[in-house]
Amino acid sequence: MGRRGGGGAANGSGAGAKGAGPGAAMLRRSLWLCLCLCSCPARGLRIHEYLYFQVLSPGDIRYIFTATPAKDFGGVFNTRYDQIHLVPADPPEACGELNNGVFIQDQIALVERGGCSFLSKTRVIQEHGGRAVIIADNAYDNDSFYIEMIQDSTRRTADIPALFLLGRDGYMIRRSLEQHGLPWAVISIPVNVTSIPTYEMMQPPWTFW
């Protein structure tokens, strides 16, 4: 099942999907935010729930982003990281050996969808010592359509958390890092949105148009 913008299950090797119109996307975001503020627990996020993280640096993308956990593989966040690096993988699809694997150790990797399954990407990041992986859609104009990440047919497992991120969000994070010449962002994850007044929720403005 997809979330908020509708969607379907996928193992990660297909092309990204597009969401609905901007007005509908804004309405869905507001409705889901209200639901999460009322019902999401502070800890122990389960399958089918949203997970939030905030970019602390660079400052021009200091927003709270929404991600969704993999459906049937990967671990959960039992620890809150007040400051941890979000490191774009090189190569972005992370289907094999990484050129910057040393920087991903004990940090969180930002990976791009495509080339191999979601599970394969998660295992690559795990093998490089990453604490978690955030897999952004490879459709850069996707600002509302969440893919449900599922197991592939290999019966392999992964222990670290794996999250799906909208393609537009992933693109904007990577673009900001490139503009500033930075090798990683600093994030806080997971963020408990129940402790933040709705009017203070700094969500990415590009998802509202």
Side-chain angles (χ1 to χ4, degrees), residues 1 3 8-10 46-49 68-74 118 147-151 162-164:
M1 291 175 58
R3 302 168 181 79
R46 301 184 301 274
I47 294 172
H48 303 309
E49 292 178 344
T68 51
K71 177 183 178 181
D72 55 6
F73 68 88
F118 291 125
I147 297 295
E148 189 171 65
M149 300 193 301
I150 61 173
Q151 265 270 11
L163 308 175
F164 181 84

Side-chain angles (χ1 to χ4, degrees), residues 72-130:
D72 55 6
F73 68 88
V76 297
F77 281 94
N78 293 316
T79 301
R80 182 176 186 273
Y81 299 101
D82 291 325
Q83 291 190 28
I84 192 168
H85 293 166
L86 178 64
V87 184
D90 179 21
E93 292 183 345
C95 292
E97 188 66 26
L98 302 179
N99 298 322
N100 63 339
V102 64
F103 298 114
I104 287 173
Q105 184 171 357
D106 293 325
Q107 309 300 327
I108 296 176
L110 177 62
V111 171
E112 189 170 295
R113 183 186 180 194
C116 59
S117 69
F118 291 125
L119 177 57
S120 293
K121 298 173 188 293
T122 304
R123 286 178 58 87
V124 167
I125 299 305
Q126 178 174 303
E127 290 165 1
H128 283 82

Side-chain angles (χ1 to χ4, degrees), residues 2-88:
R3 302 168 181 79
R4 192 158 61 197
N11 64 20
S13 57
K18 295 183 179 179
M26 181 172 68
L27 177 61
R28 281 192 297 270
R29 178 177 289 270
S30 300
L31 291 174
W32 274 106
L33 176 59
C34 290
L35 287 173
C36 284
L37 287 172
C38 295
S39 62
C40 284
R43 297 182 61 186
L45 286 167
R46 301 184 301 274
I47 294 172
H48 303 309
E49 292 178 344
Y50 289 99
L51 187 144
Y52 300 88
F53 68 93
Q54 182 174 19
V55 173
L56 305 176
S57 175
D60 60 331
I61 51 168
R62 192 180 173 92
Y63 302 116
I64 293 176
F65 293 86
T66 306
T68 51
K71 177 183 178 181
D72 55 6
F73 68 88
V76 297
F77 281 94
N78 293 316
T79 301
R80 182 176 186 273
Y81 299 101
D82 291 325
Q83 291 190 28
I84 192 168
H85 293 166
L86 178 64
V87 184

